[in-house]
Amino acid sequence: MDGPPRQVLEAWGLGDARAELISTGLINRTFLVARDGVRRVLQRLHPVFEPEVNLDIDAVTAHLEARGLVTPRPVPTLVGTLWLDAEDGTWRILSYVEGRTVETVSGPEMAREAGALLARFHRALADLEHAFAFSRPGAHDTPKHLGHLADVLAREREHRMFDVVAPVAEDILAHGRELPEIGALPRRIVHGDPKITNVLFDDDLARAVALVDLDTLAHGTFAVELGDALRSWCNPGGEEALDASVRIDLFEAAVRGWAEAAGDLPTRDEISSIAPGVETIALELAARFCADALEERYFAWSPDRFASRAEHNLTRARSQLALATSVRVARGALASCVDAAFGR
């Protein structure tokens, strides 16, 4: 499909609008739609997301906007619905937020800005009571993802790439048996996928202005939320670098930015979970990528750079395993950064 179906554009009265495919993103198919100088973001949802996720986005972004945060908002169709069910899937439009995305964090100041924005997001939602219409139970259940990888490894022995994927899977599973334990933590409304490409910056890349890609909004823990953020922000190599590692200066800056803006929001246990959360989420993502290298059904891939989804996801799995290993080596240094950021 080169562009969105005409019926989709017409549902929002945009039949003559220009639609440009946006290449970033691993899940949803996204277009930038422009007409009369107004830009909007048109997306076809991945089947993993039910249409009701748009009800959650509408409620949460209304609260964020009321608290003074910049945020994309759902744009209703001409008949007032938040999405359109078409033959090829569910479509929706979001308002366009001006800003720039980056693939990697360039330095400590950018990391600190990202941390501060995420904390403002968390503080703005701290008083929101919302029952989510759509949820993904177990989305960050690390033992479940490791167990799934073990199951896939047992049943996909005939896969053409099994012999090269299996050693990586075994290393991931072995690391999983050594993960630090994270105890019970408060459940809070979180973004759910705060990787650096979901942080919008101003034109000068001097200030983080908004979080985007809100399908993963959910009740979760700060261990998972910050773990996912920091494993993305503090690895300059990105999700495909085979020598991925955590940069301590970026980690320190990001945590300090979050701590300063979060104030007294986090509990002591939540603070203590930050560093272990990074290792856990990096390894969890390695397990998910590795399983998809054999199942070849979930994550998007780049045909211009890889021969198949399997090759692409194996590279991602190796990268995230390298990152998790780097974090394991740096456990003490990362914990010290957290203590310093919170004055402990």
Side-chain angles (χ1 to χ4, degrees):
M1 180 180 64
D2 295 328
R6 185 173 180 81
Q7 72 167 114
V8 171
L9 292 171
E10 289 177 345
W12 279 269
L14 298 170
D16 58 347
R18 177 173 54 86
E20 176 186 354
L21 181 65
I22 298 175
S23 60
T24 58
L26 297 182
I27 305 298
N28 296 327
R29 188 169 179 83
T30 303
F31 296 86
L32 182 62
V33 178
R35 194 185 69 173
D36 300 331
V38 177
R39 288 177 286 182
R40 299 174 180 87
V41 176
L42 172 67
Q43 292 184 311
R44 185 185 66 187
L45 294 187
H46 189 282
V48 72
F49 299 117
E50 297 292 338
E52 288 76 16
V53 70
N54 295 292
L55 300 175
D56 299 320
I57 294 173
D58 190 43
V60 172
T61 57
H63 193 83
L64 290 171
E65 192 172 63
R67 293 294 185 273
L69 270 68
V70 176
T71 181
R73 294 295 318 281
V75 177
T77 65
L78 293 179
V79 297
T81 60
L82 294 179
W83 67 86
L84 175 71
D85 289 321
E87 291 184 1
D88 63 339
T90 298
W91 292 83
R92 55 108 183 277
I93 284 185
L94 300 169
S95 61
Y96 177 80
V97 177
E98 190 72 42
R100 293 177 59 185
T101 58
V102 297
E103 294 290 330
T104 58
V105 173
S106 61
E109 284 305 313
M110 181 177 284
R112 190 166 183 159
E113 267 296 309
L117 172 64
L118 187 58
R120 294 195 297 271
F121 179 92
H122 292 150
R123 288 193 68 88
L125 296 177
D127 65 341
L128 174 62
E129 295 184 5
H130 177 68
F132 282 86
F134 169 76
S135 63
R136 294 185 301 148
H140 281 294
D141 183 337
T142 304
K144 182 194 77 171
H145 289 298
L146 290 169
H148 178 68
L149 174 59
D151 291 343
V152 171
L153 196 62
R155 72 168 185 262
E156 295 290 347
R157 294 185 175 278
E158 299 304 315
H159 191 279
R160 68 189 184 284
M161 289 187 58
F162 180 83
D163 288 346
V164 291
V165 173
V168 180
E170 295 292 355
D171 286 346
I172 292 170
L173 294 171
H175 191 148
R177 293 188 285 271
E178 301 174 1
L179 281 174
E181 184 175 349
I182 299 174
L185 297 173
R187 304 285 291 178
R188 303 181 183 274
I189 294 180
V190 296
H191 179 279
D193 188 19
K195 60 190 176 187
I196 195 59
T197 53
N198 287 336
V199 180
L200 281 184
F201 292 86
D202 65 10
D203 286 342
D204 296 327
L205 300 180
R207 181 172 174 77
V209 297
L211 288 166
V212 297
D213 201 355
L214 302 174
D215 293 304
T216 51
L217 287 166
H219 286 106
T221 67
F222 282 160
V224 171
E225 178 87 333
L226 292 174
D228 200 16
L230 294 166
R231 67 98 200 160
S232 168
W233 303 350
C234 305
N235 167 30
E239 289 187 349
E240 296 174 6
L242 297 182
D243 59 349
S245 63
V246 59
R247 252 182 64 177
I248 304 298
D249 61 329
L250 297 182
F251 179 92
E252 189 278 333
V255 172
R256 190 170 296 277
W258 190 83
E260 290 171 348
D264 60 359
L265 178 63
T267 65
R268 290 186 62 84
D269 286 345
E270 287 176 313
I271 293 169
S272 297
S273 75
I274 293 174
V278 182
E279 182 179 349
T280 299
I281 297 304
L283 191 71
E284 176 186 297
L285 192 54
R288 293 181 62 198
F289 282 139
C290 196
D292 207 46
L294 294 177
E295 291 187 304
E296 298 190 73
R297 64 177 177 83
Y298 183 74
F299 292 105
W301 62 289
S302 301
D304 57 325
R305 295 187 295 120
F306 294 90
S308 72
R309 190 188 306 267
E311 278 87 350
H312 197 165
N313 283 320
L314 177 59
T315 295
R316 290 166 169 156
R318 285 170 167 160
S319 176
Q320 291 303 293
L321 174 60
L323 177 60
T325 302
S326 167
V327 174
R328 180 175 59 189
V329 171
R331 283 177 183 173
L334 299 181
S336 295
C337 289
V338 172
D339 288 343
F342 287 91
R344 302 201 306 180

